[in-house]
Amino acid sequence: GNSVTQMEGPVTLSEEAFLTINCTYTATGYPSLFWYVQYPGEGLQLLLKATKADDKGSNKGFEATYRKETTSFHLEKGSVQVSDSAVYFCALLDNYGQNFVFGPGTRLSVLP
Amino acid sequence: DTEVTQTPKHLVMGMTNKKSLKCEQHMGHRAMYWYKQKAKKPPELMFVYSYEKLSINESVPSRFSPECPNSSLLNLHLHALQPEDSALYLCASSQEPNYGYTFGSGTRLTVV
């Protein structure tokens, strides 16, 4: 079946540090890939997405590139802020558009 | 309006109570979802409504009863819940899953 694996953390960084959160997936066909962010006490917000190989999703300084050869969709940001502290979920949607699978989430804490 | 609104935000109920969670969206999205999220875990899909018809029920116990009165509203009726049902219940909607889901802020349910 489809699955998503990501580093669970917690990840603790200082403000302005470079961020990478690894995400790899297992799926048949060509899934769409997503990053969602959940701030404390809130629901999930779509951060960025990519629907085909080599697509790069970007939003609010975050980027992720759909790498089919390594089945990965790593999240990066060049300079994190305290306000980026949240839980980040990598997710895939299978190519039938029926099955949305979330990774376990990575908790990020950014210290001033 | 680009939001999914969930009410109430917090709910405490006894094991013999009957209560309902409400979810509303006015984005014209054709699909609506209920997810359950335990602490430090990713959301788990419970139900999917597509064009106001239940299309997916992920083997959820009958003490959870979904209802979709119209294309903008989604309810989750709760009856005879157990303490282990305490969780954050998230509603989401989408026009096309490949575009991503829009999540509400959730209802934090505590069963005592």
Side-chain angles (χ1 to χ4, degrees), chain A residues 47-58:
Chain A
L47 184 58
L48 53 84
K49 66 181 175 73
T51 57
K52 62 182 187 296
D54 300 325
D55 269 1
K56 177 186 282 188
S58 62

Side-chain angles (χ1 to χ4, degrees), chain A residues 27-68:
Chain A
T28 55
Y30 303 94
S32 296
L33 302 174
F34 302 80
W35 277 100
Y36 282 87
V37 58
Q38 186 173 30
Y39 298 101
E42 298 186 11
L44 279 69
Q45 298 177 23
L46 177 63
L47 184 58
L48 53 84
K49 66 181 175 73
T51 57
K52 62 182 187 296
D54 300 325
D55 269 1
K56 177 186 282 188
S58 62
N59 186 24
K60 299 180 181 179
F62 291 90
E63 293 183 341
T65 301
Y66 189 142
R67 301 286 188 202
K68 184 164 176 59

Side-chain angles (χ1 to χ4, degrees), chain B residues 14-106:
Chain B
M15 289 189 283
T16 58
N17 290 161
K18 287 185 181 181
K19 296 286 185 183
S20 296
L21 310 185
K22 180 181 173 181
C23 173
E24 197 165 1
Q25 59 90 12
H26 296 287
M27 296 175 281
H29 287 177
R30 64 173 182 83
M32 297 184 75
Y33 312 82
W34 280 115
Y35 279 84
K36 174 182 178 180
Q37 186 179 25
K38 301 285 277 185
K40 299 186 178 182
K41 296 292 186 182
E44 298 175 0
L45 182 64
M46 299 175 72
F47 302 104
V48 179
Y49 273 83
S50 180
Y51 293 106
E52 302 170 47
K53 294 193 186 309
L54 183 64
S55 61
I56 295 178
N57 176 341
E58 291 287 350
S59 302
V60 179
S62 60
R63 57 186 184 268
F64 295 92
S65 175
E67 178 197 18
C68 189
N70 59 57
S71 60
S72 300
L73 269 178
L74 187 64
N75 297 320
L76 186 63
H77 303 298
L78 314 172
H79 174 55
L81 294 193
Q82 303 298 309
E84 59 265 28
D85 296 321
S86 298
L88 180 67
Y89 288 84
L90 293 165
C91 175
S93 70
S94 71
Q95 179 57 25
E96 173 56 52
N98 254 336
Y99 298 165
Y101 294 176
T102 301
F103 281 86
S105 297

